[in-house]
Amino acid sequence: MLGNHRFKIKLLTLAVYTLFSNNVFADSNISTDSIDIYGSGQTRDVETINNKQLSKLPPGSSPFEALAQLPGVNFQSADTFGAYEWSTSLTIRGFNQNQLGFTLDDVPLGDMSYSNWNGLHISRAISSENISSVVLSQGTGAIDTASNSNLGGTIQFYSLDPSDKRSTQFDQTIGQYSDSRTFLRFDSGKFSNGAKFDVSYVNQDSEKWRGYGHHLNEQFNSKFVDIFGENRLSAFFNYSNRHEIDYQDMSKTLTATNGYNWDNTYPNYNQALSYATPNCNTNYSAQCDNAYYAGSGLRRDWLSGVTLDAKLADNLRWKNTLYYHRDQGAGLWFTPYVASPSGSPVSLRTTEYGIHRSGLVSSMSYDYGKHKIEGGLWYEDNTFDQARRFYGLGLTDPGRSPYDIPSNPFATQWQYEFNIKSTVLHLQDTYEVNKKLTLNAGVKSSYENINSTTVVGSNFGELKATKPFLPQVGFNYKYNNQNEFFGSVAQNMRAYEAAATGFSPYATTSAGFSAIQGSLKPETSVTYETGWRYKQHDLQTLVSVYHVDFKDRLIGTQVGSGIVGNPTILSNVGGVTTNGAEASLSWNLAHNYNWLNSISYNDSTYSDNVVSNGVLYAISGKTVVDSPKEMFRSELDYDDGTRFGRLVANYTGKRYYTYTNDNSVDSYWIMNMSAGYRFKNPGVIELKEIDLQVSVNNILNKQYFSTIGTNGFVYNDPTGSFQTLQEGAPRTGFVTLTGKF
């Protein structure tokens, strides 16, 4: 396990410190202190979070935690860092995580599905300390984003450039639940030829806050930049190795009966055997699903990219990014539904997968008078291997660890190879009519072709998702130096998932696939938004309203217990209508103080009733699952260069987890805080700065349900017994010491 290498890491840290102890620390390219909610000149709603805002979170926190400061963003997770992937859930304006588009330095990250078929989660793609900025475009999204899943907006991550001066940074975090995180970064400084690079390493080990088990994470990031003339060459290579022991999925009934700290039995194998006896397949009882022995998610990723941004002429630039991503991973579950050959009523079930994808993102921009014409393409070739296997366990000892991918299965339920080719083309023109009015118009074409090869299991076929004409238009009108108005309309399409799990057309039987192959349609949306921005001195405000027509919405429902792996029933169920309004205010109300507030109202409702297995479900007019109507966040920051701190209050409204809205989780308030002190030139060896930061999440120790839908959603759950909920982490504290050389 990664935790066993801690002594070696400390030796490595000492060695690197000794080697670079004569370095001079210099600030890297960190932008201004406050969040940019203004987005001056943009024709759509665009907001930016910078590295300094990210650094105020406890180290290791997901950048989605920072995005939750913005209106319309609902982020949930069962762990305090927001990094435990099974439980991470992001919704924006009623659209879920798999209906958004994500990139890192222009490299597509896929739709961040847990089944991991076309990308990887941002927490694996790069360490949060190495992110320079996050750009959120709600609603209409950025037309040039390399994605074919961005129905409801885009999130673009950008990595920090290496510093111009040689520097070394070392962070050590310790906290409750045996949390320990070590971060080490070295910047080479600029060489005589102008090139520079950085390398960083992370090792994190945290115990679960309920039950037993560890979340282990090891990451390596590196980046190279060379600016020559008016051209820029950059490249990065990132590696991640993650082991996460799962929390048990809960229901409202299970939590009420067994308590807030209920979890799986690991490492007590005998207890798991008693729950599984007699065999759950032939004599089911609630204890079969109340607790298992263990479950885990194991992920290893290699992600690389190289970009050349070249000036071809005074008014012509050409930018090209080549990338490659490889992933090896498995989801493990010790199941009571399949017995081992040894006679044990429990076996180890895996969902194993491997990704090999490569691609090109290319764009060219041309300035012609008052016009800026930009166009480009994204092409990706992705081979995704996926298999469901079973491994035997012993009678008195499992003989297998949830931290390791097993070998020598006794059965393979299914195995497929999917080849996915994705192509997106776009062309847009931004026209400055005069000093006050700017117009933007563009169009993109999106194509996806999926071919499946069956090794074991049902026979499937080819699926295509094609939309050759997806327009987007917008305007920006600067009334004066303080006020501007914007508006945009965009049509988008989400292509199909290519996996035998999740909400995919392939997560069914041969007969089920044949039934939908000719009739299934990809999801599409048309988004209308308009708003007002105001900026004067230390005050920024943003108000926006929006309307969305969502067509051919796909609903996948599970038959029986979600974790068992029964085929998903996937179908187009009509439309969704969304209306909403958002407002933000960022105010430097006094010297060194900044107060950020955001409020959101979202009304997303199903437009049609649904017939499933001959049963009519009256969901027309019902609120979309996992879509809170009201959200509010207030954050007060203080930073005088020496002392700094933040206090956050966050409200999330009621959320439904059934399509008929017969069951839901309650609204809740959460408060977080952090405070710190910077010691400048402390006189300790070659240290230029020491930072000490204390962070406490959920300071009121609120008990609440965070993520919903981990096992999907159902039409109704009158007894509250469907296990698809995750509880939020309790009050958790951390201390971080940072040294800069």
Side-chain angles (χ1 to χ4, degrees), residues 690-707:
I690 298 177
D691 296 354
L692 182 65
Q693 177 174 312
V694 177
S695 304
V696 181
N697 287 347
N698 192 4
I699 58 178
L700 299 180
N701 206 27
K702 174 73 174 180
Q703 292 187 350
Y704 66 103
F705 286 111
S706 56
T707 311

Side-chain angles (χ1 to χ4, degrees), residues 99-126:
Q99 297 165 329
L100 306 173
F102 305 91
T103 62
L104 171 63
D105 291 345
D106 297 333
V107 173
L109 301 178
D111 68 358
M112 293 198 187
S113 297
Y114 182 77
S115 58
N116 210 53
W117 67 278
N118 72 338
L120 72 166
H121 201 275
I122 183 59
S123 60
R124 284 185 277 135
I126 189 172

Side-chain angles (χ1 to χ4, degrees), residues 201-221:
Y201 176 78
V202 164
N203 183 279
Q204 182 162 349
D205 183 354
S206 300
E207 287 185 3
K208 295 167 55 181
W209 65 265
R210 61 181 170 103
Y212 182 80
H214 290 250
H215 289 174
L216 307 167
N217 179 33
E218 188 175 42
Q219 284 182 280
F220 171 84
N221 296 162

